[in-house]
Amino acid sequence: MPILEEPIKETLKLKNYVDGEWVASQGEVKDVVNPATGKVIAKVPISTKDEINAAVEAAKDAFPDWRRTPPVARGRCLFRLRDLMEQHFEELSRVQTMEHGKTIDESRGETRRGIENVEVAGGIPSLMMGCSLEDIAAGIDEYLIRQPLGVFGIIGPFNFPFMVPLWFAPYAVATGNCIIVKPSSEDPISQIKITELADEAGIPPGVWNLVNGGRTVVSGMLDHPDIKGMCFVGSTPVGRDVVYTRCGETGKRVIAQCGAKNFVLVMPDANLGRTVAACMTSFFGNTGQRCLSGANLVVVGEGLNEREYAAFYEKVVDAFVDAASRIRIGCGLDEAVQMGPLRDEGKKERVLGYIEKGIKEGAKLRLDGRNVTIIGDWPDTCFLGPTVFEDVTPEMTIGTEEIFGPVASVMRARSLDEAIEMIHSNPFGNAASIFTANGKWAREFQYRVECGNIGINIGIVAPMAFFPFSGMKNSFFGALHGQGREVVRFFTESKVVIQRWF
Ligand code: NAD
């Protein structure tokens, strides 16, 4: 099948967007490489401390006028942005595939989920409403209003370059705050495109800024006294030890959504065909580079005797391996392709290291994704096929740590209790799923499991824009989560007014 036309024709020289202007950075420049083709598609600046300070200044200056703009007018800007995103839907999706490597269908899904957040934030007059009660004492009324705080920093990860900053940015702006977005320097082009559209939608200068770069920009935000809060999505060591810790020291609000290691349970009564189909996208979608990816497949023998359990286990593993071995791998702009490359060579090396470790620690390699066959004539630098280990135990490195690649670890549990214990022994708490037709088991699972996102006969538990994107344990640091009403609370201060009528 021919590959779709590429929207990026020549190497882009990316700039920062500050105070309504596109400005060149003085910082050093890094290549953005399409991992499927190996072509350099953009040069991204690693901005300096002075440049982040200038963006904070611009955002701070824009704040007084923007917060006085009525919420309904701010909401209209977001609906215009939503319309522009719809008009550019296919281009935005292809850009994601080019800069990240994911398949075009995965990118289209990401674009849709991102736009939904802009839509929800457009309803800000209702979302931001306070409340009131008359006669808290005779002749005295009390009411609560929500007010914006000022300037917020938004730090994105590489794996969802379009969608993740939109868990925060539209709500921050809709509530009357001003923002600085720092996309991942590995794939920053989607956020450049969104910022161009935000400008076209009429969001005033200084309200929505973008500064490219890495840790200098992040620490510049963390240390800046005029930044009121930070939204971070990325790995646990950076989210917990850098962002959350520093926000605590400097008194900033913080949401830090971090790493994951997700368990998927298959109960004996599960519909095997549908379970395995759901598991393919769960474990291998986005090439396993998803905080909601299935990672540990637990075959649970609740109610089965030894012989029955052995047969059930084999049946599940055979079906899983068979389906995984048929996934078509190649360039994401080929619509026949079901799995793209990893984001870059370094990430592939890291995943290969985990495969080596799995073998060394005694897990059985049932499907080896190394030296995989690719559709098309692409350099094989970043490609890796689905890989399945059997007989993995929770103590093994591959059963415990986040691999962030297309590697599944199959585990055994004789009962639902034992499987839940396994989940709880893991330091992360992002997502967990159960496949079963038994309501009691499903209820028990959702009631007891310490994870922020629970799937019942669903493999990827991605909350809609009007629900929070939750997380527990080492997967989340903060109090309120991204998306919907919760993030509106994060971006606003409650003020209580008590009034006596003379
Ligand atoms: P990362 O932590 O390497 O980078 C995230 C962001 O932090 C990037 O913008 C990066 O430039 C910046 N950064 C990196 N090192 C830094 C440092 N030392 N100081 C300050 N800033 C720094 O994460 P990543 O590899 O881009 O993303 C993958 C991770 O994100 C995975 O762990 C994944 O599970 C997680 N993730 C979590 C969620 C969630 O909602 N829980 C969603 C998506 C991704």
Side-chain angles (χ1 to χ4, degrees):
M1 201 176 266
I3 74 156
L4 297 168
E5 194 184 339
E6 299 186 348
I8 303 169
K9 307 275 186 226
E10 52 196 48
T11 311
L12 304 171
K13 289 200 172 56
L14 305 182
K15 293 182 174 177
N16 295 335
Y17 181 76
V18 176
D19 207 11
E21 302 286 339
W22 288 98
V23 286
S25 163
Q26 302 305 308
E28 62 185 71
V29 171
K30 208 178 115 181
D31 288 344
V32 179
V33 179
N34 178 335
T37 63
K39 271 196 232 153
V40 176
I41 53 173
K43 303 263 182 194
V44 60
I46 304 301
S47 303
T48 64
K49 196 143 191 178
D50 287 346
E51 288 164 344
I52 182 64
N53 287 344
V56 178
E57 202 57 39
K60 193 181 163 200
D61 289 350
F63 177 61
D65 282 351
W66 183 241
R67 70 161 289 192
R68 282 182 186 279
T69 305
V72 70
R74 297 197 298 252
R76 265 184 223 124
C77 286
L78 289 162
F79 283 126
R80 284 197 293 274
L81 174 59
R82 186 272 312 267
D83 291 347
L84 288 165
M85 285 175 158
E86 292 287 1
Q87 284 164 30
H88 292 264
F89 190 97
E90 185 60 18
E91 178 202 345
L92 292 168
S93 303
R94 291 186 193 183
V95 165
Q96 288 159 60
T97 292
M98 287 186 76
E99 67 175 342
H100 176 277
K102 62 184 71 189
T103 68
I104 187 63
D105 272 348
E106 288 167 343
S107 295
R108 288 174 186 143
E110 180 172 350
T111 309
R112 177 55 57 216
R113 282 343 246 317
I115 291 176
E116 283 164 3
N117 275 282
V118 180
E119 254 162 11
V120 171
I124 200 64
S126 312
L127 292 173
M128 208 180 158
M129 247 178 220
C131 55
S132 65
L133 183 70
E134 64 178 8
D135 284 336
I136 55 156
I140 301 179
D141 301 338
E142 180 165 346
Y143 52 100
L144 176 147
I145 48 182
R146 294 193 189 285
Q147 297 190 327
L149 286 98
V151 183
F152 282 83
I154 297 169
I155 314 297
F158 84 88
N159 64 328
F160 284 97
F162 179 86
M163 173 186 71
V164 164
L166 294 174
W167 291 349
F168 311 102
Y171 304 97
V173 164
T175 45
N177 296 286
C178 297
I179 55 169
I180 299 153
V181 178
K182 190 211 81 67
S184 168
S185 58
E186 296 171 36
D187 41 19
I189 308 169
S190 294
Q191 290 304 313
I192 298 275
K193 297 280 168 199
I194 291 173
T195 312
E196 285 170 358
L197 298 180
D199 179 29
E200 202 178 328
I203 295 176
V207 172
W208 188 313
N209 305 278
L210 177 146
V211 176
N212 289 292
R215 60 185 65 182
T216 307
V217 172
V218 178
S219 61
M221 289 187 194
L222 288 169
D223 294 343
H224 203 298
D226 291 326
I227 296 242
K228 300 293 182 205
M230 296 288 292
C231 305
F232 169 90
V233 180
S235 62
T236 297
V238 180
R240 179 190 55 203
D241 305 336
V242 179
V243 178
Y244 182 71
T245 303
R246 187 74 186 127
C247 283
E249 288 162 0
T250 54
K252 296 187 197 319
R253 291 187 174 199
V254 60
I255 293 176
Q257 305 198 185
C258 300
K261 184 76 175 178
N262 305 317
F263 289 70
V264 175
L265 273 51
V266 187
M267 303 301 287
D269 64 346
N271 175 323
L272 195 55
R274 293 173 81 165
T275 300
V276 168
C279 282
M280 290 304 106
T281 39
S282 170
F283 283 76
F284 305 116
N286 220 37
T287 322
Q289 301 166 115
R290 172 154 54 198
C291 70
L292 295 172
S293 277
N296 293 341
L297 182 76
V298 187
V299 184
V300 185
E302 180 81 40
L304 303 181
N305 64 33
E306 283 305 324
R307 194 180 45 78
E308 288 166 339
Y309 179 57
F312 173 57
Y313 176 88
E314 284 311 319
K315 208 165 126 191
V316 173
V317 178
D318 287 351
F320 186 88
V321 169
D322 178 55
S325 66
R326 286 198 251 150
I327 289 176
R328 295 186 297 274
I329 296 150
C331 171
L333 285 181
D334 177 341
E335 292 199 83
V337 159
Q338 294 170 308
M339 192 172 100
L342 286 156
R343 172 62 203 94
D344 55 50
E345 282 176 69
K347 292 190 174 25
K348 180 174 164 181
E349 280 306 311
R350 186 171 172 275
V351 179
L352 290 175
Y354 276 110
I355 295 176
E356 287 300 325
K357 228 173 234 172
I359 295 167
K360 220 177 266 167
E361 291 182 5
K364 184 169 146 199
L365 186 58
R366 258 301 283 275
L367 180 65
D368 190 347
R370 299 170 292 183
N371 303 321
V372 71
T373 307
I374 306 161
I375 300 178
D377 191 18
W378 309 110
D380 71 355
T381 23
C382 302
F383 289 101
L384 180 69
T387 298
V388 183
F389 278 102
E390 259 194 89
D391 294 332
V392 179
T393 60
E395 301 75 38
M396 288 182 187
T397 311
I398 57 167
T400 307
E401 295 183 7
E402 182 177 44
I403 299 177
F404 228 52
V407 179
S409 297
V410 184
M411 297 176 162
R412 295 171 193 262
R414 292 297 281 113
S415 66
L416 181 57
D417 279 348
E418 189 186 333
I420 292 176
E421 266 315 298
M422 280 180 177
I423 299 174
H424 289 169
S425 69
N426 189 274
F428 295 104
N430 209 40
S433 294
I434 186 168
F435 284 84
T436 182
N438 182 319
K440 186 169 175 294
W441 289 341
R443 169 66 163 61
E444 187 72 4
F445 184 80
Q446 71 141 62
Y447 188 79
R448 282 172 55 193
V449 168
E450 289 167 14
C451 285
N453 305 287
I454 298 289
I456 298 170
N457 297 318
I458 296 281
I460 311 162
V461 201
M464 296 295 287
F466 26 86
F467 284 98
F469 197 109
S470 196
M472 293 183 187
K473 293 159 74 179
N474 267 351
S475 297
F476 178 77
F477 298 89
L480 297 164
H481 305 92
Q483 298 199 145
R485 278 182 197 283
E486 275 210 23
V487 89
V488 167
R489 286 184 59 200
F490 176 77
F491 287 125
T492 52
E493 186 67 88
S494 316
K495 187 183 274 181
V496 170
V497 181
I498 301 180
Q499 186 165 14
R500 185 196 299 273
W501 299 94
F502 290 120

